[in-house]
């Protein structure tokens, strides 16, 4: 998606064609060294430079992807002989009520992983950008970005302490006389999924804020000046200048966080392991369970492919919307 | 990367190009699939390399045994160290993982080129079906393991239909564990418990008394994996012939979980949960937290196994006791979950003879047996005639060892229902029990859900 922007030179489409198309794969391919911009003169030598990256990409991204597709068509325990299953695995994924419920959980998480961090991020960014230059701004940005640096596993463990029966949240509730609301947040059916969502929101808020702050700092100050001269207050200023100018950044925030929500694994695995019952089981966790605990590699792969398609279905419209009107 | 993404001066990509990207995305995989890759798993499956002659001699050559054990249990390492001390030409390369990780990794590790010689085994039926484990029958003959009490190794036999309980032997135990109820002696005194209960009803009376006196009756974990399956199965074992539970675990044809005894056990658990005998946050309590809370005196009872005995003796010396879960009537037969701390030999192991020598040694060597008791906390097993090393009188370790012998004498050992299939515990027992204790599942619904998952897994 973003390669499209990188690979163009002054409006001409690039000649290189190592385009990425797959959902989760995008994240990985971002680590492949940037492809050189092609010109007709350097076409062949260009390919030569691309070759190492392309080979790595092919071997570590495309080949596993294709193997996954292949596995979906079999019943296989990962070791012994496999049996041809045709599209049975896909049929199971799309009809098993348990699996559908699990997919639904991922969509609930989008609210927490995407909407909350982006909304809060916008608020925080527009406040912070007024103090971006001083040491205070640096401090604020560092603090906000910190959750992004902490490994998700550590965040998951820390939060499961905070949310436990004797954890900080309940201590605070007890201290202010709301003890009757205290509970095992991650252990109760009604609160477990939102509680996991809160952890995700905390992790992703920093990323969104930093992207949005960067975006705001690129907005031409003249626009704000003009708005002020026209008598706009800070709310009006936000909706008339800041928000429209941040369309692309918001698009990127949404893309990254929606992928994080749909493909979530670490936080859930650490904080709840999908429980209680199946209240917080998400597709990423179920794929892992199916493949490694239940040893149904075919079904796990089919769920993975469906998940990848879901990610694409959710992310492509966001990409489109955030680009239009330019 | 993000800067490139946010560059506002970059023009939008050409539309035609974008569409063009989609075509290879679909076409390439299909084309490659059409190019007929061979079916997965059709490569070298049955590649048992250990066709070397069976020998009971260790030899003098230098040997490194690969061992794959469970994290958090120092027993395997302690035995390996002692073995090397006695036989310096044999050293160990020990790899450890958490049990769930080990369960998930075992098939791949065993199928790999560096297959472990000695491996802690999860449920073994799938591994046997895939030809990943060594048939130990030749060693049974060579070492005389047929003189061990038959019930000791029955769980570790798998016949050619994939049923456990009979057929060739595929593992032995690093100790043979027993489960029951640990209790806090101070709290027991407080609620007036003078001796271990002798009937289920008496046990329930103690729970009610504790609740009334403001003592938490049971601390039991139920997060990640269902710890409440310990009390559940303890009840289930008493309400019908425990052989039926074993049949179900061993996948005997026609065996079912859907019995009146299972329902009655589920009703009892539901009743206990409603009465507040478990902690309110049981579904958020993991194993480590449970043991920690119990040692801190936050509960009267804890259902657990003798693998914690040594630890509890250190953490709460003199203040912890143990009893086997009582039968329905005072004269009823004692039944408890008991299973070997199973270790087997990989079919592709490079040193199967040395591995078997090690397994035989730890059942018979006096030093090894002492380590099994002191470090492992469990009965060392082995030939019926060998004396069990003594534990310190008054310690909970001494109680669990006595319980173990008592159970063996009454032939009351049953396997864990969690071991019935590879994922019955994770896929059905755990989530459904978590629902049962908060009233989101009925006792009948619980029993049916477990049986349904069992049938689903057996049909695969």
């Amino acid at each position: 998606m973003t390669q499209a922007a990188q690979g163009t030179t002054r409006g001409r489409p690039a000649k290189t064609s190592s385009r990425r198309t797959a959902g989760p794969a995008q994240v990985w391919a971002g680590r492949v060294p940037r492809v050189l911009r092609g010109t007709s003169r350097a076409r062949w030598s260009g390919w030569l430079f691309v070759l190492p990256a392309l080979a790595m990409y092919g071997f570590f991204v495309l080949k596993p992807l294709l193997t996954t597709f292949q596995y979906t068509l079999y019943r296989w325990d990962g070791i012994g002989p496999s049996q041809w299953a045709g599209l049975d695995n896909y049929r199971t994924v799309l009809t098993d009520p348990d699996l559908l419920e699990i997919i639904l959980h991922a969509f609930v998480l989008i609210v927490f992983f995407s909407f909350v961090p982006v909304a809060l991020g916008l608020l925080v960014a527009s406040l912070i950008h007024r103090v971006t230059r001083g040491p205070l701004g640096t401090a604020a940005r560092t603090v906000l970005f910190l959750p992004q640096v902490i490994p998700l596993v550590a965040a998951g463990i820390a939060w499961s302490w905070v949310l436990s029966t004797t954890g900080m949240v309940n201590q605070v509730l007890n201290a202010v006389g709301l003890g009757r609301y205290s509970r095992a947040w991650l252990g109760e059916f009604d609160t477990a999924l939102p509680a996991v969502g809160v952890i995700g929101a905390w992790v992703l808020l920093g990323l969104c804020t930093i992207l949005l702050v960067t975006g705001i700092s690129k907005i031409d100050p003249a626009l704000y000046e003009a708005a002020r001269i026209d008598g706009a207050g800070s709310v009006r200023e936000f909706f008339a200048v800041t928000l429209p100018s941040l369309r692309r950044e918001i698009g990127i925030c949404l893309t990254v966080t929606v992928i994080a929500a749909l493909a979530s694994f670490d936080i859930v695995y650490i904080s709840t392991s999908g429980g209680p019952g199946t209240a917080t089981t998400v597709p990423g966790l179920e794929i892992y369970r199916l493949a490694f605990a239940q040893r149904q590699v075919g079904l796990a792969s089919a769920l993975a492919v469906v998940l990848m398609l879901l990610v694409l279905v959710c992310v492509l419209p966001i990409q489109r919307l955030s680009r239009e009107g330019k | 990367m993000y800067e490139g993404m946010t560059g506002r001066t970059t023009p939008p990509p050409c539309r035609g190009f974008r569409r063009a990207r989609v075509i290879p995305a679909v076409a390439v995989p299909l084309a490659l699939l059409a190019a007929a890759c061979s079916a997965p798993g059709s490569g070298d499956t049955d590649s048992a390399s250990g066709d070397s002659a069976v020998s009971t001699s260790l030899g003098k050559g230098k040997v490194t045994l690969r061992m794959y054990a469970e994290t958090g249990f120092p027993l395997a390492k302690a035995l390996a160290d002692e073995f090397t001390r006695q036989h310096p030409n044999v050293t160990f390369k020990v790899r450890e993982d958490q049990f769930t990780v080990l369960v998930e990794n075992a098939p791949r590790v065993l199928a790999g080129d560096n297959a472990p010689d000695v491996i802690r085994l999860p449920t073994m039926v799938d591994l046997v079906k895939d030809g990943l484990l060594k048939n130990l029958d030749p060693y049974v003959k060579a070492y005389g393991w047929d003189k061990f009490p038959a019930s000791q190794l029955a769980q570790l036999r798998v016949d050619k239909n994939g049923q456990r309980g009979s057929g060739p032997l595929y593992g032995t135990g690093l100790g043979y564990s027993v489960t029951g109820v640990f209790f806090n002696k101070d709290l027991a005194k407080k609620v007036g418990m003078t001796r271990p209960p002798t009937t289920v009803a008496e046990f329930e009376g103690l729970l009610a008394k504790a609740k009334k006196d403001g003592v938490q009756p049971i601390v039991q974990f139920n997060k990640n994996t269902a710890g409440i399956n310990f009390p559940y199965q303890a009840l289930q074992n008493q309400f019908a012939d425990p052989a039926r539970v074993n049949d179900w675990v061993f996948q005997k044809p026609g065996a079912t979980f859907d019995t009146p005894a299972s329902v009655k056990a589920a009703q009892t658990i539901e009743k206990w949960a409603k009465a507040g005998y478990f902690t309110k946050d049981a579904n958020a309590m993991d194993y480590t937290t449970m043991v920690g809370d119990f040692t801190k005196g936050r509960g009267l009872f804890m259902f657990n196994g003798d693998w914690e005995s040594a630890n509890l003796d250190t953490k709460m010396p003199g203040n912890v006791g143990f009893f086997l879960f009582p039968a329905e009537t005072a004269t009823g037969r004692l039944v408890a979950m008991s299973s070997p701390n199973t270790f087997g030999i990989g079919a592709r192991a490079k040193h199967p003879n040395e591995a078997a020598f090690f397994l035989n040694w730890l059942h018979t060597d006096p030093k090894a047996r002492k380590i099994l008791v002191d470090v492992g906390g469990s009965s060392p097993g082995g030939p019926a005639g060998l004396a069990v090393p003594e534990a310190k009188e008054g310690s909970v370790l001494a109680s669990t060892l006595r319980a173990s012998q008592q159970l063996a004498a009454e032939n009351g050992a049953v396997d864990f229902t969690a071991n019935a299939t590879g994922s019955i515990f994770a896929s059905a027992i755990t989530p459904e029990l978590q629902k049962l204790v908060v009233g989101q599942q009925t006792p009948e619904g619980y029993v049916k859900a477990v049986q349904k998952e069992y049938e689903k897994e057996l049909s695969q």
Side-chain angles (χ1 to χ4, degrees):
Chain A
M1 52 188 182
T2 55
Q3 293 290 74
Q6 289 171 7
T8 47
T9 317
R10 284 181 200 152
R12 264 183 294 141
K15 296 283 196 305
T16 52
S17 61
S18 68
R19 301 283 153 176
R20 291 182 269 112
T21 43
Q26 283 169 333
V27 179
W28 292 102
R31 295 184 187 170
V32 175
R34 223 182 265 184
V35 167
L36 287 185
R37 289 165 190 186
T39 67
S40 50
R41 190 167 50 82
R43 182 187 255 178
W44 293 107
S45 61
W47 273 103
L48 209 61
F49 283 111
V50 169
L51 200 61
L54 206 60
M56 296 287 271
Y57 178 65
F59 192 74
F60 290 109
V61 178
L62 289 182
K63 185 174 171 285
L65 200 62
L66 293 179
T67 325
T68 306
F69 272 116
Q70 192 204 351
Y71 289 168
T72 61
L73 305 174
Y74 290 87
R75 248 165 196 267
W76 188 39
D77 70 356
I79 302 286
S82 55
Q83 295 156 289
W84 177 258
L87 295 174
D88 276 359
N89 288 322
Y90 289 101
R91 215 164 286 137
T92 310
V93 169
L94 298 175
T95 53
D96 187 330
D98 293 345
L99 290 178
L100 290 178
E101 186 207 326
I102 287 166
I103 292 173
L104 185 72
H105 291 158
F107 282 94
V108 174
L109 284 187
I110 289 182
V111 174
F112 291 94
F113 280 47
S114 303
F115 300 162
V116 171
V118 171
L120 278 181
L122 274 171
L123 186 71
V124 175
S126 53
L127 292 177
I128 241 183
H129 112 98
R130 290 159 205 269
V131 290
T132 37
R133 287 184 210 290
L136 196 64
T138 315
R141 272 192 310 239
T142 311
V143 169
L144 277 165
F145 198 65
L146 222 50
Q148 199 62 35
V149 182
I150 295 172
L152 286 177
V153 173
I157 293 174
W159 272 94
S160 59
W161 289 339
V162 170
L163 293 167
S164 74
T165 327
T166 53
M168 205 179 71
V169 171
N170 286 332
Q171 282 171 18
V172 169
L173 283 176
N174 287 332
V176 298
L178 292 171
R180 66 178 181 280
Y181 293 113
S182 71
R183 63 190 67 226
W185 297 94
L186 289 165
E188 292 195 6
F189 281 81
D190 302 335
T191 56
L193 193 58
V196 168
V198 167
I199 305 177
W202 176 82
V203 168
L204 291 165
L205 174 61
L207 175 73
C208 291
T209 309
I210 293 300
L211 281 176
L212 295 171
V213 166
T214 317
I216 291 181
S217 67
K218 283 185 187 160
I219 299 174
D220 189 349
L223 288 176
Y224 286 109
E225 219 167 291
R228 260 171 236 143
I229 289 168
D230 286 347
S234 47
V235 174
R236 186 69 194 272
E237 201 179 284
F238 174 79
F239 283 104
V241 181
T242 311
L243 203 56
S245 310
L246 286 178
R247 181 197 282 269
R248 290 194 142 227
E249 283 77 8
I250 294 171
I252 285 151
C253 285
L254 282 176
T255 306
V256 173
T257 53
V258 164
I259 293 175
L262 291 175
S264 56
F265 174 83
D266 334 42
I267 296 174
V268 181
Y269 182 75
I270 294 298
S271 59
T272 64
S273 289
T278 50
T280 60
T281 306
V282 288
L285 192 66
E286 187 65 12
I287 290 167
Y288 163 74
R289 285 239 181 94
L290 284 173
F292 294 100
Q294 303 202 20
R295 302 179 66 196
Q296 300 187 48
V297 176
L299 186 58
S301 302
L303 182 57
V305 168
V306 169
L307 176 63
M308 191 184 83
L309 293 176
L310 273 179
V311 169
L312 285 178
V313 165
C314 294
V315 163
L316 289 180
I318 298 174
Q319 288 288 305
R320 214 184 176 85
L321 281 176
S322 65
R323 283 214 183 104
E324 258 162 23
K326 284 295 290 185
Chain B
M1 185 171 82
Y2 293 128
E3 243 162 70
M5 284 173 155
T6 54
R8 16 184 12 96
T9 51
T10 323
C14 154
R15 268 172 189 277
F17 202 95
R18 215 195 302 177
R19 197 166 302 125
R21 278 190 292 162
V22 180
I23 296 163
V26 180
V28 171
L30 288 181
L32 278 170
L33 273 183
C37 341
S38 60
S42 55
D44 59 311
T45 41
D46 210 338
S47 53
S49 65
D51 284 339
S52 54
V54 169
S55 154
T56 57
S57 123
L58 200 55
K60 293 270 173 264
K62 276 207 180 310
V63 170
T64 302
L65 286 180
R66 283 172 190 276
M67 185 196 271
Y68 191 14
E70 183 181 355
T71 311
F73 295 88
L75 174 66
K77 186 79 178 37
L79 285 169
D81 289 347
E82 175 62 23
F83 190 82
T84 301
R85 222 178 52 77
Q86 293 185 17
H87 307 280
N89 63 323
V90 180
T91 50
F92 285 82
K93 197 169 174 183
V94 184
R95 168 181 172 185
E96 288 186 353
D97 270 324
Q98 286 202 342
F99 191 66
T100 44
V101 179
L102 194 147
V103 170
E104 284 150 10
N105 277 343
R108 271 158 290 275
V109 171
L110 281 166
D113 286 335
N114 292 316
D117 297 293
V118 187
I119 178 172
R120 168 83 169 101
L121 292 178
T123 50
M124 50 191 355
V125 175
D126 290 343
L127 301 177
V128 170
K129 276 186 188 157
D130 285 339
L132 295 171
L133 287 181
K134 195 156 189 64
N135 176 345
L136 300 182
D137 271 358
Y139 297 107
V140 171
K141 235 177 270 157
Y143 284 110
W145 291 347
D146 44 4
K147 293 188 191 66
F148 293 10
S151 64
Q152 205 176 96
L153 299 175
Q155 296 180 11
L156 308 177
R157 297 182 179 279
V158 182
D159 70 13
K160 58 180 185 303
N161 298 322
Q163 274 171 40
R164 286 166 60 213
S166 61
L169 185 74
Y170 287 97
T172 67
L174 260 69
Y176 297 80
S177 296
V178 65
T179 64
V181 187
F182 289 95
F183 64 95
N184 181 309
K185 287 185 176 168
D186 284 346
L187 294 178
K189 216 172 283 164
K190 204 173 156 192
V191 304
M193 170 180 152
T194 49
R195 61 182 170 91
T198 52
T199 64
V200 175
E202 200 181 316
F203 180 74
E204 290 193 279
L206 288 168
L207 295 176
K209 182 78 185 353
K211 187 74 192 172
K212 213 174 106 226
D213 293 353
V215 172
Q216 176 58 44
I218 303 172
V219 280
Q220 198 66 26
F221 76 105
N222 213 34
K223 186 191 173 180
N224 299 345
T225 51
I228 289 182
N229 199 41
F230 279 87
Y232 176 79
Q233 201 190 337
L235 289 161
Q236 190 186 21
N237 292 338
Q238 318 305 329
F239 291 156
D241 182 1
R244 296 188 64 181
V245 178
N246 254 348
D247 285 352
W248 186 77
V249 176
F250 292 165
Q251 303 179 6
K252 292 258 167 69
T256 175
F257 196 81
D258 192 355
T259 62
S262 303
V263 174
K264 191 174 167 193
Q267 285 164 341
T268 311
I269 290 293
E270 186 190 43
K271 186 174 75 189
W272 290 6
K274 277 197 184 135
Y277 296 163
F278 302 115
T279 56
K280 217 179 115 212
D281 64 344
N283 279 344
M285 181 187 273
D286 60 19
Y287 181 85
T288 324
T289 313
M290 168 188 76
V291 176
D293 279 8
F294 182 75
T295 53
K296 284 178 200 133
R298 290 185 188 152
L300 172 58
F301 297 123
M302 169 178 75
F303 287 77
N304 207 337
D306 55 9
W307 50 85
E308 282 298 339
S309 297
N311 174 40
L312 292 175
D313 272 330
T314 324
K315 296 270 170 62
M316 42 196 307
N319 190 25
V320 54
F322 176 87
F323 56 86
L324 292 173
F325 194 75
E328 267 195 297
T329 60
T331 51
R333 170 178 149 206
L334 287 172
V335 181
M337 292 88 86
S338 163
S339 76
N341 184 16
T342 313
F343 276 73
I345 300 177
R348 302 177 57 140
K350 296 205 172 58
H351 305 291
N353 284 332
E354 289 80 356
F357 188 97
F358 172 69
L359 293 180
N360 181 62
W361 168 85
L362 62 90
H363 281 90
T364 51
D365 183 81
K367 274 259 176 64
R369 290 169 67 83
K370 184 91 180 98
I371 292 173
L372 281 162
V373 169
D374 290 347
V375 182
S378 301
S379 160
L386 277 187
V388 174
E390 296 274 318
K392 199 171 132 237
E393 199 41 49
S395 65
V396 79
L397 184 56
S399 317
T400 51
L401 276 179
R402 255 197 314 276
S404 194
Q405 283 155 355
Q406 196 183 353
L407 199 68
E410 299 199 20
N411 197 19
V414 291
D415 200 351
F416 292 88
T417 50
N419 289 341
T421 70
S423 62
I424 192 83
F425 200 33
S427 307
I429 295 178
T430 295
E432 299 300 330
L433 262 183
Q434 286 173 339
K435 290 182 196 164
L436 181 70
V437 295
V438 294
Q440 296 223 350
Q441 176 63 286
T442 60
E444 294 78 13
Y446 170 72
V447 168
K448 287 204 173 8
V450 173
Q451 178 62 19
K452 193 176 145 209
E453 175 69 23
Y454 179 78
E455 280 165 15
K456 194 172 119 195
E457 284 183 31
L458 291 196
S459 71
Q460 273 159 18

